[in-house]
Amino acid sequence: MANSDFVIVILGAGKGTRLKSSLAKVLHRAGGRSLVEHVVRACQPLKAREIIAVVGHQADDVTAALVPLGAKTALQKPQRGTGHAVLVARRAIPSRAKYVIVLPGDAPLIRTDTLAALARSHRETGAAATILSAEIDNPAGYGRIVRNDDGSVAAIVEDSALNDDQRAIREINSSIYCFTLGKLWSCLGSLKPQNVHKELYLTDAIAALRQKGENVQAILAADSDEVLGCNTRADLAAVDAVFRRRKRAAIMDAGVTIEMPETVLIDPEVTVGADSRIEPCVQLLGKTRIGAGCTIRTGSVLSDAVLEDNVLVKPHTMVIASHLSRGTQVGPFAHLRDGARLEENARVGNFVEVKKSVLGEGVKSMHLTYLGDARVGAGTNIGAGTITCNYDGVHKNPTTIGKRVFIGSDTALVAPVRVGDGAYVGAGSVITENVPADALGLGRGRQVNMPGWAASRRRQMAAVARAAKPRPRKKSKRRAPARRSRTRSRRVKRSRKR
Ligand code: UD1
Ligand code: MG
């Protein structure tokens, strides 16, 4: 696909007023990348002589995003319209280039094949300009392709300048064009800022070329989604949805089951092996690589994670920049981050956080634990509630636990500390000194049983409660004589009987 007589100019100097943002428009993200990065990546395989991006608003930030991708930049300051932007790029265009492909930096869905077809068609027809157009259902906001009665292109008319008849036209200008450079420069030189924004519009070059009797072509994009531009937040969301749909389709094509795919977010560089299953509401981000036969259950987020084959990630688990070896199981509600590494068949359960730690083969840490800056040998069991106290307020200190160790529940390992192979640590210990191999480490107060203490305590409490009871009220005192009188009368009766 060598196009060494072509240069590519990407227009990315605009502010993006309609986004109402402090961030330059082309740096906004959709489909897991900045808009302009998508555009450059689509252009790279064309092997043009040069990719030149026109930058202006937040030029330094936009340049920083583009240079690693091999694009040159040309500075447009102030930004006086798309026609002016191409004029600014002129000084960066090598004299040997014959053609230019111009693209806006805010239409990121364009595909390499479509650009290659545009370049081929332009070369074949010998046109002065070839416009990539598209027919869309809602053309509001786009410039329209106005054609003569014989079907030839007459002009591009911007949305703000349309008359009632032209407003019904559904064929829009994608802002992606091929120009023959020799014919373009003279036209651009004659552009006038005759529009509401007082800018030089590249679109006006089309009518100017036609007036000179030049051949201007417009070819329809086969997939109208490819030309969608991002002028508003709603446009960004629509474009993002297309990217995400494309990526999910590619992953499913590779033999992966995705349940309720519309709820699953997958970044462009993610790979997933065959027969893996992804449940609803999962996010696979960054450079995540998932092997074959893995299951990622609902609500989990994986970013820059590497999963070997047959890994199970249970619901609502975060795996960030971490490595899960074959057959490992993590979650639910686990958090693995910053270089956590689980060797084969290791298991991490609910409410366990693992940071910068290596858990050897078959290690189990199933409940309520923090393992930070730790190395845990194969076959070790970490009891519920274990904490590596790795931070002393200044430094992060390491904890080293050997093979086949048993760490009792609720143990605090005050780092730096080592527990040797085969050792036991009693539950509830605060371990501040190394535990030798095969030893029992106990770091807790000794238990004392006091016989009868609880029963005596209960009696004491009952007495206190009785004393605190309120005294009987006066009304009950008045009733007392009546009871006495009944008793007296009974005594009288008895004495009479005698
Ligand atoms: C432009 C086209 C319109 C087309 C639409 C497709 C013009 C006048 N209009 O409109 O016909 O239907 O794209 O998406 O070209 N830019 C610069 N320097 C400037 C101005 C803009 O580099 O001085 C860049 C912007 O950063 C952007 C691109 O050019 O990436 C297009 O500009 P934008 O303002 O988005 O034009 P639209 O209104 O979308
Ligand atoms: Mg635009």
Side-chain angles (χ1 to χ4, degrees), residues 7-27:
V7 284
I8 292 171
V9 172
I10 298 171
L11 309 183
K15 180 168 189 279
T17 311
R18 288 161 281 183
L19 285 175
K20 302 185 175 74
S21 174
S22 58
L23 185 68
K25 170 156 71 172
V26 295
L27 293 180

Short mmCIF file of all heavy atoms in Angstrom, two decimals, residues 7-27:
data_model
loop_
_atom_site.label_atom_id
_atom_site.label_comp_id
_atom_site.label_asym_id
_atom_site.label_seq_id
_atom_site.Cartn_x
_atom_site.Cartn_y
_atom_site.Cartn_z
N VAL A 7 0.93 12.92 0.69
CA VAL A 7 1.11 13.29 2.10
C VAL A 7 -0.27 13.31 2.73
O VAL A 7 -1.29 13.38 2.03
CB VAL A 7 1.75 14.69 2.29
CG1 VAL A 7 3.22 14.67 2.00
CG2 VAL A 7 1.02 15.73 1.50
N ILE A 8 -0.27 13.22 4.02
CA ILE A 8 -1.54 13.25 4.75
C ILE A 8 -1.52 14.46 5.67
O ILE A 8 -0.52 14.70 6.36
CB ILE A 8 -1.72 11.95 5.56
CG1 ILE A 8 -1.92 10.78 4.59
CG2 ILE A 8 -2.88 12.06 6.54
CD1 ILE A 8 -1.90 9.42 5.21
N VAL A 9 -2.60 15.23 5.65
CA VAL A 9 -2.71 16.38 6.56
C VAL A 9 -3.95 16.18 7.43
O VAL A 9 -5.06 16.00 6.93
CB VAL A 9 -2.81 17.71 5.78
CG1 VAL A 9 -3.14 18.86 6.73
CG2 VAL A 9 -1.50 18.00 5.05
N ILE A 10 -3.70 16.15 8.74
CA ILE A 10 -4.80 15.97 9.70
C ILE A 10 -5.05 17.32 10.38
O ILE A 10 -4.12 17.94 10.90
CB ILE A 10 -4.42 14.91 10.76
CG1 ILE A 10 -4.20 13.56 10.06
CG2 ILE A 10 -5.49 14.79 11.84
CD1 ILE A 10 -3.60 12.47 10.96
N LEU A 11 -6.30 17.77 10.36
CA LEU A 11 -6.62 19.07 10.93
C LEU A 11 -7.02 18.91 12.40
O LEU A 11 -8.06 18.32 12.71
CB LEU A 11 -7.77 19.72 10.14
CG LEU A 11 -7.58 19.76 8.62
CD1 LEU A 11 -8.74 20.49 7.96
CD2 LEU A 11 -6.26 20.46 8.27
N GLY A 12 -6.16 19.43 13.27
CA GLY A 12 -6.44 19.23 14.70
C GLY A 12 -6.17 20.46 15.53
O GLY A 12 -5.85 20.35 16.72
N ALA A 13 -6.32 21.66 14.93
CA ALA A 13 -5.97 22.88 15.66
C ALA A 13 -7.15 23.50 16.39
O ALA A 13 -6.97 24.35 17.25
CB ALA A 13 -5.37 23.90 14.69
N GLY A 14 -8.37 23.05 16.04
CA GLY A 14 -9.57 23.73 16.56
C GLY A 14 -9.77 23.51 18.05
O GLY A 14 -9.23 22.59 18.66
N LYS A 15 -10.58 24.40 18.66
CA LYS A 15 -10.81 24.36 20.11
C LYS A 15 -11.89 23.36 20.46
O LYS A 15 -11.82 22.66 21.46
CB LYS A 15 -11.23 25.76 20.55
CG LYS A 15 -11.53 25.92 22.02
CD LYS A 15 -11.64 27.40 22.36
CE LYS A 15 -11.71 27.65 23.85
NZ LYS A 15 -13.00 27.46 24.45
N GLY A 16 -12.91 23.29 19.59
CA GLY A 16 -14.04 22.40 19.90
C GLY A 16 -15.04 23.10 20.80
O GLY A 16 -15.45 22.54 21.82
N THR A 17 -15.40 24.32 20.43
CA THR A 17 -16.28 25.15 21.27
C THR A 17 -17.55 24.40 21.68
O THR A 17 -18.01 24.51 22.82
CB THR A 17 -16.67 26.43 20.48
OG1 THR A 17 -15.46 26.97 19.95
CG2 THR A 17 -17.37 27.45 21.35
N ARG A 18 -18.10 23.60 20.77
CA ARG A 18 -19.39 22.95 21.04
C ARG A 18 -19.28 21.84 22.10
O ARG A 18 -20.29 21.40 22.63
CB ARG A 18 -19.98 22.39 19.72
CG ARG A 18 -20.49 23.49 18.80
CD ARG A 18 -20.63 23.03 17.36
NE ARG A 18 -19.36 23.00 16.65
CZ ARG A 18 -19.23 22.69 15.36
NH1 ARG A 18 -20.29 22.36 14.66
NH2 ARG A 18 -18.02 22.69 14.80
N LEU A 19 -18.05 21.42 22.42
CA LEU A 19 -17.89 20.42 23.49
C LEU A 19 -17.93 21.07 24.88
O LEU A 19 -18.04 20.38 25.89
CB LEU A 19 -16.56 19.68 23.35
CG LEU A 19 -16.47 18.65 22.24
CD1 LEU A 19 -15.06 18.10 22.14
CD2 LEU A 19 -17.43 17.49 22.48
N LYS A 20 -17.81 22.40 24.91
CA LYS A 20 -17.78 23.16 26.19
C LYS A 20 -16.78 22.51 27.16
O LYS A 20 -17.13 22.09 28.26
CB LYS A 20 -19.18 23.21 26.80
CG LYS A 20 -20.23 23.84 25.91
CD LYS A 20 -21.56 23.99 26.61
CE LYS A 20 -22.57 24.73 25.78
NZ LYS A 20 -23.11 23.96 24.67
N SER A 21 -15.53 22.45 26.71
CA SER A 21 -14.52 21.72 27.48
C SER A 21 -13.24 22.52 27.59
O SER A 21 -12.92 23.31 26.70
CB SER A 21 -14.23 20.40 26.76
OG SER A 21 -13.17 19.73 27.38
N SER A 22 -12.46 22.27 28.66
CA SER A 22 -11.14 22.90 28.76
C SER A 22 -10.09 22.08 28.00
O SER A 22 -8.95 22.49 27.85
CB SER A 22 -10.73 23.04 30.22
OG SER A 22 -10.74 21.77 30.83
N LEU A 23 -10.48 20.90 27.54
CA LEU A 23 -9.56 20.02 26.81
C LEU A 23 -9.76 20.21 25.30
O LEU A 23 -10.90 20.28 24.83
CB LEU A 23 -9.86 18.56 27.19
CG LEU A 23 -8.96 17.47 26.63
CD1 LEU A 23 -7.56 17.57 27.25
CD2 LEU A 23 -9.55 16.09 26.92
N ALA A 24 -8.65 20.27 24.56
CA ALA A 24 -8.77 20.43 23.10
C ALA A 24 -9.59 19.28 22.52
O ALA A 24 -9.48 18.13 22.97
CB ALA A 24 -7.37 20.43 22.48
N LYS A 25 -10.39 19.61 21.51
CA LYS A 25 -11.34 18.61 20.99
C LYS A 25 -10.69 17.30 20.59
O LYS A 25 -11.16 16.22 20.98
CB LYS A 25 -12.09 19.19 19.77
CG LYS A 25 -12.89 18.14 19.04
CD LYS A 25 -14.04 18.68 18.25
CE LYS A 25 -13.63 19.42 17.03
NZ LYS A 25 -14.82 19.74 16.21
N VAL A 26 -9.58 17.37 19.84
CA VAL A 26 -9.02 16.13 19.29
C VAL A 26 -8.39 15.25 20.36
O VAL A 26 -8.02 14.11 20.10
CB VAL A 26 -8.01 16.39 18.14
CG1 VAL A 26 -8.72 17.02 16.96
CG2 VAL A 26 -6.84 17.23 18.63
N LEU A 27 -8.25 15.79 21.60
CA LEU A 27 -7.73 14.96 22.70
C LEU A 27 -8.84 14.27 23.49
O LEU A 27 -8.58 13.46 24.37
CB LEU A 27 -6.86 15.79 23.64
CG LEU A 27 -5.56 16.29 23.03
CD1 LEU A 27 -4.76 17.11 24.04
CD2 LEU A 27 -4.70 15.13 22.51
#
